[in-house]
Each structure stands twice: as structure tokens, then as C-alpha cells.
Amino acid sequence: MPRDFRKEFARGPLLFDGATGTMLQRLGLKPGGCPDELNLSEPELVSKVHRAFIEAGADIVTTNTFGATRIKLKEYGLEDKTVEINRTSAELARKAIGDSGFVAGDMGPSGLFIEPVGNLTFDDCLANYTEQAQALKEGGADLIVIETMMDIKEMKAAIIGAKSTGLPVVATMTFDETMRSVLGTPPESFAIMATSLGADAIGANCSLGIEGILTAIEAMAEVTDIPFIAQPNAGLPIMQGTKTIFPATPEEMASYVPRLASAGVRILGGCCGTGAEHIEAMGRAFKAITPVTRTPHGHTALASRTSFQLFGAGRAPIIIGERINPTGRKKLTAEIKEGKTTTIRKEARAQAGVGAHTLDVNIGVPGTDEISSMTRAVFSVNDNCSLPIVIDSSLDGAIEAGLKACDGKPMINSISAEKKKLDAIIPVAKQYGGALLGLALDDTGIPETAEGRLKAAEKILERMLAAGLRREDLIIDCLAMTVSAQPNGAVETLKAIRLIKKHLGLPTVLGVSNISFGLPMRGLINSNFLAMAIEAGLDCAIINPMNTAMMDAYYAATVLGARDVRAEGYIRYAERKAAESGHQTAELISSGTPASLEAKRVIEGVRDKLKYAIIDGDEEHIVGFVEEALAEGLNPIAVSNEGLIPGLEEVGKLFAANKYFLPQVMLSADTMKKAFARLKIEMKGDTGPSAGKVLLATVEGDIHDIGKNIVATLLENHAFEVIDLGKNVPTEKILDEAVKHDVDIVGLSALMTTTVMEMDNVIKKLEERGIDAMTIVGGAVVTEEFSEKIHADEYGGDALGAVDKIKRLVALRREKK
């Protein structure tokens, strides 16, 4: 009888295996070969790896299926064997470990980005992982482990697909030294989202040594109380002669184990470079430690791709910006009908600029396709600010569309104690992950008394908990009733806040401006009511953050209510207002509307329109701005050099300052492509002066090309002629194409430690044949030290940095000529 993973996991620490890929390479896996296919062609080789880790003490062995999704196997022409490969791999692992341990079905990244960053749809990505997870379960997997993810949205699809099996789910992302993923996600955002989706354990793997993995997990521990898994590399790879090695010894890695355990790690294993000897040493230390009992945080958490927000449990209340809403706004209503997002993008940036913590997204316009409108709106908000969102719709389908489109963990606005709402929304929230804004009303309507609203809240909470959702993810709207019609409305609402906080311990929210309908000087009523609600314990205020009186009341009330520690938030607000009003002291506060990021922009002509369209990724209007520039007499080269390129350069600065991340960079690049496509028509095939010719290739034996593709896109937008040879490119082809096109630069990429030395081979062959192109190298395992060792002319680093370095190399080469 197989052991029960969840029960064993609850009892004590469990030991994962190490790097299956590293072990297969030691045993003869050829560079460029498909590791997953070995399950069919060389099953004994795979079984040998499992036995080595089992003998080292592993409780869990991982199936050899890291790249065995249909999408990845298609690169080898093996997509029709997807189910067979996964099922067989799980069967091999089960046979190796028997009933004495556990089989973890392994799922890795697809190699593609989900829209809008890439072209893969969320539904297709979900189907990709659901198929793999089901096949792994059929083969006998006890749990699913999702590893080395870089994209938080792909992680969402993978967790949902894995949970469709009913098996336990363990999920890890990979981070770099900045404690962000390639697409800019910090550990906290990942942890918040994965917890909401119902993962059984989460953590970090790959890219970092054990010290870096510890840092990532300590960050996660600040926002979630679920158990952790750690799978560090055996140090960061270094070169010794012609070999790439991972330097951390088993003893060095074992020395970190107590700290990992104290941070909440309950499952320990290894990634690149960790062999059986590492697992044995770490396992001895790990099994000797009594697991820590972690105290629940109690707060509620929301997350976007690049940021997160905590509230409740005594924390300062947060502001939910209400301005992305067509009610009473003719321009926004017209844009939604036309499928445009100009105002939505502008409002997202503006509200973020004045201090909103999260943004409500409501695009309900009668007679429109609200499902597709919601998807567009969420994409636009995600692309134009870093704030988490609130998906606001009365249409169930639109809520689900928003959840699919959202990068992280949103709030759903709304549910109530009405049976129809409970039945419709709770399953969707459970599947896609999200906090719930619960209206304190039921099938009989809005209770007049605070006690009645408490009962409605209790009913929602009961259904949520029964469905397996976390109580922290219910935020109760105590319902601000119009005092002009109900004189006791404000009193009952404030009483309801206190009752719900006292008896249920749940966070609360209000749409504050509802209180003043039908009265003159509504702002006066609203701002005073907000202050009273914050004193009563309000945790979220849905307000217009562009309204100075409301923001003044918010910051003052958080200080007076002892919910702004050391008045730090109030002081920052006062300093910002002083700077905006031109005063030098924080005590002189302007009474005008705070300046937003939008207001600070000075757009004096079409060149500025072009520049900011690139910065904002405004694909809707960029072609129109190009047309306007041409009509004003600018030639295509001037349009590019005086409008488009300055915008892209500013994007580079924002990226370098960690204010923009890869999704925003790619959106700007796509906008640039649309502008160039229009300019090429005007130039009648003449592309204008080239900034240089660059040949790009992933070296032979390596099939990873995400980073290379990003560099190619950015180079094209900087007027370079790019010859992209793709991945797994033989050295001779690189040499022949370099000569054929007389390129200035040869850019080489590699992600795998087994293929990185092929870069050295290419560079030597270039020298032997007398090809004078300069070289730049990059990829996950490539370091500046390695670049110097193989005599590359430059180390690529990040994508935008690589573009700047290529510009310098081209200039240097042309000087030499």
C-alpha cells in the first residue's frame, strides 16, 4: 500500500532527489538529445539515476519529464508521444522506489510566453500542463512538482493543470541575484499567488546556490505560512579548463540546512550539479532537525506580476482606485465599445502615481462583449502599472476571463450570501486563485442592521471554508448606504465594521462615495466618513485617489488611528505634496489635486507623442502618431531617430532602474514594430541606414532560445539587421552565415552547462577562418568570467544591456576598419 504524501509531509521533513539532468549527462546523455525520450529508449539509464538517489536516502524521486509537455516535445518531433513518455516515466520511478517512497511527476516551463507578453494563450498553456499532469498520474505519480518557472502566469496555468489530478502540488520558481524572475516577479508575489491557488508547498530552485535559495524562501515566509521546498544548485557554475562545474561541496550545502529548516523548509532536494553525495549529506542534516511550527500571518495578500500588497490583521488600510469604471463617463464608455484602452491605460498610470494600492477594473457597458473587454482591460492595467487589481463585474464569464488574464492574485468584486452568487463565484475563485469581496447581503436583500450584515458575512465565510478557501481571502463590504435616504445608514455601516472585525476577524471594505448620493458638497461627507470608517477598523477604501480631500483624510486617519507606524506613510505623502506644490517643507501642503505621473508629462509635439507611445507600449495609437509625424513633414528617419528611439532609450533606463520589467520592455518592442512597419511602407522597401549586422544563434546541442529571441526583437527595434539562425545551430553553419552576410557581430547563446563550451569552439573557429566579426555571449549559465576565459569580445548580461554593448562593439569594429 503506497504511503500518503500529505500525511507523511505533515509528520516530518521529506528528502527530494537531486539533479536528474546532471546525472543523465554523467551517464552519457548526448548534448542536444531529448532527456525525456530516454524513458522510452533507455529506461534502465533513467532507473539507474533513480536508484542512486534512493540509495542516498531520498524519500521522493522525480520523474524524468521536465521537458515532456506537448509544446516542448514538439521541438523533437515527439509531441505524439507526450502521454506515453510521461506515463512510462512515472512507471519507471514507481518501480524504482516501490511503496517505500513517493514519485513526483515533474513539470517544467514550456519555453513560450503567455499573451500579452507572448503568443501562447492561457487556455492552451493550461491544456498543455493538464495533459502532462494527467499522464503522470496514470503512471503512478503521488504528487506533481512544478520546477524552474520564470513566468508567474505560466506557473498559474501549471498549478491549475496539476490540481486537476487531485494530487498534491509542489511548485518552485527560479530567481536571480536581484530576487526577481526573468519577467520581474519577486518571491513574495509568487508565494501569494501559489498559496491562493492551493499549492501544498512552494519554494525556489535552480539559478542560485543554497544561500540565494535561502534568501528567496525567507522573503516568501513574510507573506505566507504554507510549507516550503528548497532545491538549490550546488553553487553557481564556474569553468575549470573546458568543463563547467558546480563548486559547492556536500558538506558546504549541508551546513545551510538548519537555516533552511528554521525558515520553514519541509522538503529539501537539489537542482543543477547536486549528485547523490549532496543529497546524502543534506539529508542527514535535514532529518536530524525537528520541523518548526509557523504562526499564520492572518493578513490578506494581493499580487501582480511585479509587486504585492498586504492588508488586514492590524496593517494600514489600503486604497482601491475606482476610476476604471464607465459609469457616468462617456469617453471611457465609447472606448470600451470600440475595443480601445487609452483611458484605461492612462487611469492605471495616474492612480498608481498618486498612491493607490490596487485598482478596481470595471468595464461593464451594456451591449458589449464584456468577456473580451475584461481581458483587454486587465492586460492593459497589468502592462501599464505594477499594482494588483480588483476584477469588478456582475457577469460570471467576465470574472473568469479577468482571472485568466491577471498576472498574479487579484480580488474578485464581488460575491454575496445569495445562493446564486455563492454557487457561481466560489468554484471560480478556488480554481484560479483570488480574494473575494463579499457583499454583506443575502437573498432577502441588504439587511438594515449591522447584526443582519454580520449574519450574511458568516454565511459567505462558511461556504468559503467548506470549499477549502482561506478565511484571510474574504473581505467583507459592510455596504455604505446613502444617508440622504437612510439617516442611520452610516451608523449601521460603522457598527457592522466593528462587529465583523470582532466576531469574524475578517478584513473589511467600503465603496465610500455611496454614502453621499443626493447631498450637496459630497466631498465633505465622503472624506469625513472615510476617516470615521478607518477609525472603526476599515481595511480597504474604494475611492478616487485623484481627490485631494479623500487622500488627505486617508493619511491623517491612518496616523490618528495608530495604523501608520511612526507616521511613515503620512510623512512620505506630505513630502510628495510639498514637492508637487513647489514648497520646500512638508508642513505646507497644497490644497490642489496631487500631480500624477500623467500630469508631470510635457507633450509639446508629435515627437513627444511618439516617444511616450513607445514608453507606454501604446500599440493602439502608435501608427496614428507616425501618420501625424509624416503629415507634419518629418521623414521616416527623423520619425525614428527623433521620436521612436528616444522612447526606447527611456525604456532601457526604466528597465535598468528596476521600474520596468521584461513584459513592459516587450510591449514597447511590439509597439516599435508597428511603427517601423508603417515607416517601411513609406520608405518603399528602403529600410534606411543599418546600425549594423548581427548574427544570433543558440549553439549546437542547446534548444533554449527565449533570451536570444528577446535580444533579436530589441536589436531590430534599434535599426540593426538581425540574422537569427535559431537554436541548436551547428558551428559550421554559424561560420558560413557569418561570411555570407558579412556580419559585424556574432551573438551566441547557451542555457545548459553541457553546451556552453560550444561557444568556445565557435569563437576559436571564427579566428581560424579569419572571420573578423566581433563576438558577444550570453545565457543563464554564462558569466562575465566565462566570457573572458573563452576570449569573447563582450558578455551580454541582460537583454537591454546586450543591445548597448552590441552598439559599442559595432562602433569599435568600424573604427578599426
Side-chain angles (χ1 to χ4, degrees), residues 116-176:
V117 180
N119 297 318
L120 182 64
T121 69
F122 183 87
D123 285 339
D124 286 345
C125 187
L126 175 56
N128 183 60
Y129 287 114
T130 300
E131 178 185 40
Q132 185 184 20
Q134 292 290 347
L136 289 166
K137 181 181 181 180
E138 289 173 15
D142 300 296
L143 65 145
I144 302 295
V145 61
I146 304 162
E147 297 185 304
T148 325
M149 286 291 185
M150 299 175 285
D151 181 354
I152 193 172
K153 191 175 286 185
E154 185 174 37
M155 174 62 87
K156 178 186 288 188
I159 293 177
I160 295 172
K163 285 187 69 65
S164 71
T165 65
L167 296 176
V169 177
V170 175
T172 64
M173 282 193 78
T174 183
F175 305 94
D176 60 23

Side-chain angles (χ1 to χ4, degrees), residues 494-784:
L494 297 174
K495 183 179 178 183
I497 292 174
R498 293 186 175 96
L499 285 177
I500 287 165
K501 303 289 286 186
K502 178 181 178 181
H503 294 287
L504 301 182
L506 296 176
T508 55
V509 61
L510 283 178
V512 176
S513 62
N514 293 339
I515 202 75
S516 63
F517 283 132
L519 292 174
M521 298 179 64
R522 290 186 61 193
L524 182 61
I525 295 287
N526 293 342
S527 59
N528 279 277
F529 180 60
L530 173 62
M532 295 169 71
I534 289 173
E535 190 279 331
L538 186 70
D539 297 289
C540 311
I542 304 174
I543 64 172
N544 175 8
M546 311 297 290
N547 184 296
T548 298
M550 295 298 284
M551 296 298 280
D552 288 350
Y554 165 79
Y555 282 104
T558 54
V559 172
L560 296 173
R563 297 175 68 185
D564 181 0
V565 179
R566 295 181 295 276
E568 292 174 354
Y570 177 82
I571 290 170
R572 286 194 300 269
Y573 174 68
E575 289 174 344
R576 185 171 75 241
K577 290 194 67 175
E580 289 167 355
S581 64
H583 296 296
Q584 298 302 308
T585 67
E587 295 178 351
L588 297 173
I589 299 178
S590 167
S591 60
T593 299
S596 70
L597 295 180
E598 291 291 310
K600 291 178 182 177
R601 289 183 172 179
V602 178
I603 300 178
E604 295 182 338
V606 71
R607 292 172 179 82
D608 286 336
K609 291 180 181 179
L610 291 165
K611 173 183 174 181
Y612 284 113
I614 296 300
I615 293 170
D616 298 337
D618 186 358
E619 295 182 273
E620 289 179 11
H621 295 94
I622 188 63
V623 174
F625 293 152
V626 170
E627 298 277 8
E628 183 180 339
L630 294 171
E632 288 186 10
L634 271 70
N635 64 46
I637 301 302
V639 172
S640 175
N641 292 343
E642 298 173 22
L644 302 175
I645 294 297
L648 205 57
E649 289 174 345
E650 182 63 25
V651 169
K653 293 176 183 177
L654 291 168
F655 180 78
N658 275 336
K659 294 181 179 179
Y660 265 25
F661 299 97
L662 198 52
Q664 289 94 343
V665 171
M666 296 303 291
L667 183 62
S668 293
D670 288 341
T671 305
M672 196 82 161
K673 279 184 179 180
K674 289 193 173 184
F676 279 162
R678 174 61 188 89
L679 291 177
K680 285 178 181 177
I681 295 173
E682 195 69 20
M683 297 164 75
K684 298 180 174 62
D686 180 6
T687 58
S690 169
K693 290 184 181 180
V694 182
L695 182 149
L696 296 177
T698 300
V699 295
E700 188 170 11
D702 202 314
I703 61 165
H704 301 87
D705 63 353
I706 286 180
K708 173 186 66 62
N709 293 344
I710 293 168
V711 172
T713 298
L714 296 176
L715 286 171
E716 288 171 349
N717 290 334
H718 282 84
F720 282 93
E721 182 180 344
V722 178
I723 299 94
D724 188 349
L725 301 184
K727 52 197 173 188
N728 193 18
V729 184
T731 296
E732 287 303 316
K733 183 175 182 180
I734 294 173
L735 302 179
D736 291 344
E737 294 294 320
V739 172
K740 176 182 175 181
H741 294 281
D742 187 24
V743 299
D744 297 292
I745 309 294
V746 172
L748 304 174
S749 174
L751 188 68
M752 301 164 63
T753 58
T754 53
T755 59
V756 70
M757 283 310 300
E758 189 62 24
M759 291 178 167
D760 183 41
N761 182 42
V762 173
I763 291 173
K764 286 177 179 175
K765 294 290 186 181
L766 286 168
E767 293 174 355
E768 290 173 7
R769 284 185 51 172
I771 300 171
D772 67 349
M774 304 190 84
T775 55
I776 184 169
V777 296
V781 297
V782 179
T783 63
E784 192 159 7

Side-chain angles (χ1 to χ4, degrees), residues 171-487:
T172 64
M173 282 193 78
T174 183
F175 305 94
D176 60 23
E177 292 85 351
T178 68
M179 282 299 123
R180 288 187 180 269
S181 73
V182 168
L183 293 184
T185 300
E188 295 94 334
S189 287
F190 157 60
I192 289 166
M193 185 198 73
T195 300
S196 181
L197 288 167
D200 293 271
I202 62 171
N205 80 308
C206 204
S207 294
L208 300 169
I210 197 164
E211 185 173 6
I213 294 292
L214 172 62
T215 301
I217 285 174
E218 287 176 338
M220 295 181 201
E222 294 297 317
V223 299
T224 186
D225 52 25
I226 68 171
F228 297 125
I229 174 174
Q231 292 177 301
N233 287 346
L236 298 177
I238 60 174
M239 298 302 301
Q240 281 192 358
T242 61
K243 292 184 178 180
T244 305
I245 68 163
F246 290 84
T249 67
E251 292 72 26
E252 288 171 339
M253 295 186 73
S255 69
Y256 273 90
V257 168
R259 294 173 64 186
L260 286 168
S262 66
V265 170
R266 299 291 296 274
I267 308 174
L268 181 63
C271 203
C272 300
T274 53
E277 63 278 11
H278 293 89
I279 296 302
E280 184 176 8
M282 290 193 296
R284 281 198 307 270
F286 193 47
K287 293 296 183 72
I289 298 171
T290 301
V292 298
T293 300
R294 299 176 60 219
T295 303
H297 293 290
H299 58 234
T300 301
L302 303 177
S304 69
R305 181 186 293 276
T306 58
S307 73
F308 61 96
Q309 186 64 55
L310 308 178
F311 60 94
R315 292 177 175 270
I318 65 168
I319 295 167
I320 301 174
E322 68 181 1
R323 289 183 56 82
I324 302 176
N325 189 318
T327 303
R329 304 184 67 184
K330 293 182 179 180
K331 182 179 179 181
L332 178 54
T333 297
E335 287 182 0
I336 291 171
K337 289 180 177 180
E338 296 168 7
K340 296 181 178 179
T341 59
T342 304
T343 298
I344 291 172
R345 290 185 286 104
K346 182 177 179 180
E347 289 290 1
R349 294 192 299 269
Q351 291 182 98
V354 295
H357 302 104
T358 183
L359 302 180
D360 189 81
V361 179
N362 182 323
I363 42 76
V365 174
T368 62
D369 179 358
E370 191 172 340
I371 291 175
S372 60
S373 294
M374 180 62 79
T375 298
R376 276 194 300 273
V378 172
F379 282 169
S380 298
V381 174
N382 284 341
D383 289 338
N384 283 272
C385 78
S386 65
L387 300 183
I389 66 170
V390 178
I391 299 168
D392 186 353
S393 177
S394 59
L395 184 66
D396 299 342
I399 288 175
E400 184 170 8
L403 289 167
K404 290 179 181 179
C406 178
D407 287 338
K409 175 190 173 184
M411 186 189 301
I412 299 169
N413 186 3
S414 58
I415 194 171
S416 68
E418 298 166 289
K419 184 179 186 304
K420 182 179 178 180
K421 277 289 186 180
L422 292 170
D423 292 343
I425 301 301
I426 285 180
V428 176
K430 183 176 176 64
Q431 181 177 6
Y432 294 102
L436 284 170
L437 187 155
L439 304 177
L441 59 87
D442 56 24
D443 289 299
T444 65
I446 300 174
E448 292 186 5
T449 66
E451 289 79 8
R453 294 175 203 178
L454 173 63
K455 288 181 180 179
E458 288 174 337
K459 185 175 181 179
I460 301 171
L461 179 61
E462 181 181 344
R463 280 289 301 272
M464 275 190 65
L465 295 178
L469 297 174
R470 297 163 65 92
R471 68 181 299 120
E472 295 89 349
D473 284 338
L474 177 59
I475 305 98
I476 296 298
D477 187 337
C478 297
L479 302 173
M481 307 305 295
T482 303
V483 291
S484 59
Q486 298 183 28

